[in-house]
Amino acid sequence: MAEQDVKKGLAGVVVDYTAVSKVNPETNSLLYRGYPVHELAAKCSFEEVAYLLWNGELPDGAQLEAFSRREKAGRVLDPGVKRVIDMLPETAHPMDVCRTAVSVMGALHPLAEDSSREANMAKAVDLFAAMPAVVAYDQRRRHGQDVVEPRDDLGYSANFLWMAFGEEQVPEVVEAFNVSMILYAEHSFNASTFTARVITSTLSDLHSAVTGAIGALKGPLHGGANEAVMHTFDEIGIRQEESLEEAAARAKAWMEDALAKKKKVMGFGHRVYKHGDSRVPTMKAALDKMIAHYGRPEIHGLYNGLEQAMDEAKAIKPNMDYPTGPTYHLMGFDTPTFTPIFVASRITGWTAHIMEQLAANSLIRPLSAYKGPEQRAVTAR
Ligand code: COA
């Protein structure tokens, strides 16, 4: 096969149809089932958006109530899953903990080998409901704290924060977290969703597909970028006493130096969006609210300094992971928990794609262009 036929990284290749979401890089827009994501973030709860991704329509009052009841019933950390998590060292990366927890949930699921639409919907809702307990407990155990039991009187986002911190959060913080969960939920054929679809295309089960997707999301070129952004902030140094301008100047100098050394700076650039990520303005507004709420102008300075210097040098724009990293930091999450929060959100998109793949399946099996040695005989050595 000629070299020019190879689409390295599948860049620009359209591999299937989807009705779950539409990314339009020309207009920097993202639609979930036809709805602009910034409108969903302004007007909906994450529960409503999860329902939308799976069912194609937003729920009415009665549907939402039934769905929330189902979600609340699945919030408690399964003792079997907790036992397995407790066997993992506290030094294990939280993404490894998530991956293991999902794998165990699959093995324990009563419908493990049933991949009917009904069974997959039940498994998807179970994962959606259970993931906050896994993420929250893993962060807590790393800090020597015990499980916080879920609360039925709180919505998904408020309860997630409750289980992570054991304290009820004010509405502004819950709202910013809810926005991040909605914006992270779905993004067409990104690397982890494509991984889930590849696994599903072999007629493997939903938990196997999600486990593989978590592995793909872990990498810093994908979901792991939100953690990497915080490492950049830490490397520059977060100085709470500093003004916005002082922090911005140090961040700018750091970026100029990094780019001079040809470093790739995480949180910038995107395979599809070349003029800005559709989700960033909404997430940046949520970050701004958190900066004001926690009174941390120096974070604003670091953010602006890096963004400006990157724009001036290479005109590369921030992606969604850039504002989410510092937002989760301000809320009190430790850095390794950032990508697992992304998992808890993206489970909705992954499982919507898994069900869509199964409904019109074709084994995903591309070709490769061989460039190794020509055929040769095995001779005596
Ligand atoms: N920092 C510095 N330079 C970057 C960059 C970044 N974050 N992202 C892209 N570039 C540069 C590349 O060095 C390359 O420059 P060159 O042509 O001089 O070699 C050019 O922009 C094209 O980059 P490339 O990596 O080929 O584009 P891509 O479409 O394959 O990459 C990403 C997309 C996301 C993999 C890439 O932008 C990246 O690695 N970003 C950082 C990781 C990240 O934030 N991931 C989360 C994505 S939501």
Side-chain angles (χ1 to χ4, degrees), residues 221-222 225 264-269 271 274 310 316 319 321:
L221 294 190
H222 192 6
K264 241 192 183 170
V265 183
M266 301 297 141
F268 290 88
R271 172 57 67 79
K274 297 298 176 195
M310 179 63 107
I316 296 175
N319 58 51
D321 292 312

Side-chain angles (χ1 to χ4, degrees), residues 174-319:
V174 174
E175 185 47 36
F177 189 73
N178 184 63
V179 165
S180 78
M181 296 305 275
I182 291 174
L183 295 176
Y184 261 148
E186 161 58 14
H187 212 212
S188 78
F189 280 41
N190 56 84
S192 58
T193 302
F194 189 59
T195 303
R197 290 190 76 127
V198 170
I199 294 172
T200 303
S201 82
T202 71
L203 302 185
S204 184
D205 66 287
L206 180 142
H207 286 87
S208 296
V210 173
T211 303
I214 293 174
L217 191 74
K218 183 182 176 189
L221 294 190
H222 192 6
N226 60 11
E227 288 179 43
V229 168
M230 215 54 230
H231 294 312
T232 300
F233 276 45
D234 286 338
E235 196 182 314
I236 299 167
I238 299 173
R239 300 181 189 157
Q240 283 201 41
E241 70 287 355
E242 212 169 39
S243 70
L244 190 155
E245 293 72 22
E246 288 165 334
R250 284 194 307 112
K252 232 173 156 220
W254 183 95
M255 180 64 97
E256 282 157 8
D257 181 56
L259 294 179
K261 290 179 179 145
K262 305 244 173 281
K263 278 196 195 158
K264 241 192 183 170
V265 183
M266 301 297 141
F268 290 88
H270 199 274
R271 172 57 67 79
V272 179
Y273 299 114
K274 297 298 176 195
H275 322 288
D277 182 323
S278 60
R279 304 159 295 179
V280 166
T282 311
M283 195 58 223
K284 174 63 171 36
L287 169 62
D288 287 346
K289 284 186 190 156
M290 291 301 93
I291 286 170
H293 174 73
Y294 291 105
R296 298 289 297 276
E298 88 286 3
I299 297 284
H300 205 168
L302 294 177
Y303 187 101
N304 287 354
L306 290 174
E307 185 186 27
Q308 273 169 21
M310 179 63 107
D311 198 39
E312 281 164 23
K314 301 189 77 140
I316 296 175
K317 310 292 178 202
N319 58 51

